[in-house]
């Protein structure tokens, strides 16, 4: 919900439903999504037992348009396809296992969007003790 609210406040619009899934280590799954002919951002967020979640976006001919292969329990890919249509989202559980959520967003962040967080120099939270 926090990701949804943050992206919506930035002027992005959710495309299609939020998908949920679960994978074991070394497994992958595909989801189909219809994306418009504007830039889109796809985000996958894993649960507590997910150690490394990878995400790729493929066009209708299975050509890779974008990939996030960072070593984290979440992944994000931004693509700007030349035309809209059906795309495949490939989620791979590289390390760990468990549940994840996947969502697609279109549009560009609005320059006039109000800031959603304090500037870095004012923040005092840490990963162990975040600001509520």
């Amino acid at each position: 919900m926090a990701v949804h609210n943050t992206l919506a406040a930035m002027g992005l619009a959710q495309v299609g439903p939020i998908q949920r899934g679960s994978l074991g280590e070394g497994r992958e799954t595909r989801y189909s999504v219809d994306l418009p002919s504007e830039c889109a951002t796809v985000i996958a967020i894993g649960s507590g037992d997910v150690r490394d979640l990878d995400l790729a976006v493929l066009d209708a001919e299975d050509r890779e348009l974008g990939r996030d292969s960072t070593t984290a329990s979440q992944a994000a890919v931004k693509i700007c396809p030349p035309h809209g249509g059906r795309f495949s989202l490939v989620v791979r559980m590289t390390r760990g296992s468990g549940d994840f959520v996947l969502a697609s967003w279109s549009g560009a962040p609005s320059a006039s969007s109000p800031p959603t967080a304090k500037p870095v120099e004012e923040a005092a939270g840490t990963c162990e003790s975040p600001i509520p």
Side-chain angles (χ1 to χ4, degrees):
M1 187 57 101
V3 171
H4 173 87
N5 291 341
T6 299
L7 294 175
M10 292 171 54
L12 298 173
Q14 186 175 326
V15 179
I18 294 175
Q19 305 286 337
R20 295 175 187 265
S22 186
L23 289 170
E25 189 167 312
R27 308 288 297 185
E28 71 178 37
T29 189
R30 286 181 178 228
Y31 294 88
S32 291
V33 64
D34 290 317
L35 296 176
S37 61
E38 59 184 328
C39 292
T41 302
V42 182
I43 299 172
I45 302 173
S47 66
D49 292 331
V50 174
R51 299 287 175 247
D52 186 0
L53 190 65
D54 291 340
L55 176 63
V57 180
L58 310 176
D59 67 11
E61 287 80 38
D62 277 346
R63 289 183 299 236
E64 187 175 290
L65 300 177
R67 167 179 295 277
D68 178 333
S69 56
T70 59
T71 307
S73 61
Q74 66 277 335
V77 176
K78 180 178 180 181
I79 62 165
C80 297
H83 54 78
R86 182 151 310 259
F87 296 84
S88 293
L89 310 177
V90 181
V91 180
R92 178 169 174 75
M93 187 70 64
T94 304
R95 226 177 73 212
S97 63
D99 299 331
F100 63 88
V101 294
L102 177 69
S104 304
W105 299 81
S106 68
S110 168
S112 62
S113 297
T116 57
K118 292 181 180 179
V120 173
E121 60 271 8
E122 293 180 28
T126 65
C127 290
E128 294 78 23
S129 179
I131 298 171

PDB file of all heavy atoms in Angstrom, residues 113-126:
ATOM      1  N   SER A 113       4.623  17.547  -8.193  1.00  0.00           N
ATOM      2  CA  SER A 113       4.188  16.709  -7.083  1.00  0.00           C
ATOM      3  C   SER A 113       4.804  17.202  -5.788  1.00  0.00           C
ATOM      4  O   SER A 113       5.985  17.533  -5.740  1.00  0.00           O
ATOM      5  CB  SER A 113       4.618  15.248  -7.299  1.00  0.00           C
ATOM      6  OG  SER A 113       4.018  14.730  -8.434  1.00  0.00           O
ATOM      7  N   PRO A 114       4.019  17.212  -4.713  1.00  0.00           N
ATOM      8  CA  PRO A 114       4.603  17.608  -3.437  1.00  0.00           C
ATOM      9  C   PRO A 114       5.553  16.525  -2.962  1.00  0.00           C
ATOM     10  O   PRO A 114       5.358  15.355  -3.261  1.00  0.00           O
ATOM     11  CB  PRO A 114       3.387  17.711  -2.509  1.00  0.00           C
ATOM     12  CG  PRO A 114       2.346  16.850  -3.144  1.00  0.00           C
ATOM     13  CD  PRO A 114       2.605  16.889  -4.610  1.00  0.00           C
ATOM     14  N   PRO A 115       6.609  16.880  -2.245  1.00  0.00           N
ATOM     15  CA  PRO A 115       7.525  15.867  -1.741  1.00  0.00           C
ATOM     16  C   PRO A 115       6.782  14.925  -0.792  1.00  0.00           C
ATOM     17  O   PRO A 115       5.917  15.342  -0.041  1.00  0.00           O
ATOM     18  CB  PRO A 115       8.612  16.657  -1.022  1.00  0.00           C
ATOM     19  CG  PRO A 115       8.104  18.051  -0.886  1.00  0.00           C
ATOM     20  CD  PRO A 115       6.974  18.228  -1.862  1.00  0.00           C
ATOM     21  N   THR A 116       7.145  13.637  -0.850  1.00  0.00           N
ATOM     22  CA  THR A 116       6.476  12.654   0.001  1.00  0.00           C
ATOM     23  C   THR A 116       7.331  12.275   1.201  1.00  0.00           C
ATOM     24  O   THR A 116       6.929  11.469   2.010  1.00  0.00           O
ATOM     25  CB  THR A 116       6.143  11.393  -0.807  1.00  0.00           C
ATOM     26  OG1 THR A 116       7.353  10.883  -1.354  1.00  0.00           O
ATOM     27  CG2 THR A 116       5.143  11.688  -1.902  1.00  0.00           C
ATOM     28  N   ALA A 117       8.536  12.818   1.309  1.00  0.00           N
ATOM     29  CA  ALA A 117       9.403  12.484   2.436  1.00  0.00           C
ATOM     30  C   ALA A 117      10.217  13.720   2.789  1.00  0.00           C
ATOM     31  O   ALA A 117      10.363  14.642   1.989  1.00  0.00           O
ATOM     32  CB  ALA A 117      10.335  11.335   2.073  1.00  0.00           C
ATOM     33  N   LYS A 118      10.763  13.705   3.992  1.00  0.00           N
ATOM     34  CA  LYS A 118      11.627  14.803   4.406  1.00  0.00           C
ATOM     35  C   LYS A 118      12.915  14.759   3.592  1.00  0.00           C
ATOM     36  O   LYS A 118      13.367  13.692   3.191  1.00  0.00           O
ATOM     37  CB  LYS A 118      11.992  14.641   5.885  1.00  0.00           C
ATOM     38  CG  LYS A 118      10.833  14.835   6.823  1.00  0.00           C
ATOM     39  CD  LYS A 118      11.329  14.673   8.244  1.00  0.00           C
ATOM     40  CE  LYS A 118      10.206  14.865   9.231  1.00  0.00           C
ATOM     41  NZ  LYS A 118      10.663  14.699  10.606  1.00  0.00           N
ATOM     42  N   PRO A 119      13.537  15.895   3.352  1.00  0.00           N
ATOM     43  CA  PRO A 119      14.838  15.884   2.691  1.00  0.00           C
ATOM     44  C   PRO A 119      15.828  15.046   3.500  1.00  0.00           C
ATOM     45  O   PRO A 119      15.720  14.939   4.724  1.00  0.00           O
ATOM     46  CB  PRO A 119      15.254  17.353   2.667  1.00  0.00           C
ATOM     47  CG  PRO A 119      13.967  18.118   2.800  1.00  0.00           C
ATOM     48  CD  PRO A 119      13.060  17.244   3.617  1.00  0.00           C
ATOM     49  N   VAL A 120      16.812  14.488   2.846  1.00  0.00           N
ATOM     50  CA  VAL A 120      17.762  13.587   3.493  1.00  0.00           C
ATOM     51  C   VAL A 120      18.434  14.239   4.683  1.00  0.00           C
ATOM     52  O   VAL A 120      18.607  13.622   5.728  1.00  0.00           O
ATOM     53  CB  VAL A 120      18.822  13.111   2.471  1.00  0.00           C
ATOM     54  CG1 VAL A 120      19.902  12.312   3.155  1.00  0.00           C
ATOM     55  CG2 VAL A 120      18.152  12.308   1.381  1.00  0.00           C
ATOM     56  N   GLU A 121      18.790  15.522   4.555  1.00  0.00           N
ATOM     57  CA  GLU A 121      19.502  16.165   5.657  1.00  0.00           C
ATOM     58  C   GLU A 121      18.631  16.298   6.917  1.00  0.00           C
ATOM     59  O   GLU A 121      19.150  16.420   8.001  1.00  0.00           O
ATOM     60  CB  GLU A 121      20.063  17.524   5.235  1.00  0.00           C
ATOM     61  CG  GLU A 121      19.034  18.541   4.783  1.00  0.00           C
ATOM     62  CD  GLU A 121      18.744  18.449   3.285  1.00  0.00           C
ATOM     63  OE1 GLU A 121      19.216  17.502   2.621  1.00  0.00           O
ATOM     64  OE2 GLU A 121      18.044  19.316   2.773  1.00  0.00           O
ATOM     65  N   GLU A 122      17.294  16.213   6.796  1.00  0.00           N
ATOM     66  CA  GLU A 122      16.422  16.307   7.950  1.00  0.00           C
ATOM     67  C   GLU A 122      16.046  14.943   8.513  1.00  0.00           C
ATOM     68  O   GLU A 122      15.587  14.848   9.628  1.00  0.00           O
ATOM     69  CB  GLU A 122      15.129  17.039   7.579  1.00  0.00           C
ATOM     70  CG  GLU A 122      15.326  18.494   7.245  1.00  0.00           C
ATOM     71  CD  GLU A 122      14.011  19.156   6.889  1.00  0.00           C
ATOM     72  OE1 GLU A 122      12.952  18.704   7.374  1.00  0.00           O
ATOM     73  OE2 GLU A 122      14.033  20.126   6.131  1.00  0.00           O
ATOM     74  N   ALA A 123      16.201  13.884   7.740  1.00  0.00           N
ATOM     75  CA  ALA A 123      15.794  12.554   8.190  1.00  0.00           C
ATOM     76  C   ALA A 123      16.725  12.059   9.285  1.00  0.00           C
ATOM     77  O   ALA A 123      17.913  12.316   9.261  1.00  0.00           O
ATOM     78  CB  ALA A 123      15.798  11.587   7.021  1.00  0.00           C
ATOM     79  N   ALA A 124      16.168  11.359  10.262  1.00  0.00           N
ATOM     80  CA  ALA A 124      16.966  10.829  11.356  1.00  0.00           C
ATOM     81  C   ALA A 124      16.747   9.335  11.536  1.00  0.00           C
ATOM     82  O   ALA A 124      17.298   8.746  12.449  1.00  0.00           O
ATOM     83  CB  ALA A 124      16.631  11.562  12.658  1.00  0.00           C
ATOM     84  N   GLY A 125      15.955   8.701  10.696  1.00  0.00           N
ATOM     85  CA  GLY A 125      15.688   7.281  10.828  1.00  0.00           C
ATOM     86  C   GLY A 125      16.797   6.427  10.240  1.00  0.00           C
ATOM     87  O   GLY A 125      17.636   6.892   9.485  1.00  0.00           O
ATOM     88  N   THR A 126      16.802   5.167  10.651  1.00  0.00           N
ATOM     89  CA  THR A 126      17.733   4.178  10.099  1.00  0.00           C
ATOM     90  C   THR A 126      16.930   2.948   9.711  1.00  0.00           C
ATOM     91  O   THR A 126      15.742   2.856  10.014  1.00  0.00           O
ATOM     92  CB  THR A 126      18.781   3.769  11.149  1.00  0.00           C
ATOM     93  OG1 THR A 126      18.122   3.100  12.224  1.00  0.00           O
ATOM     94  CG2 THR A 126      19.565   4.967  11.663  1.00  0.00           C
TER      95      THR A 126
END
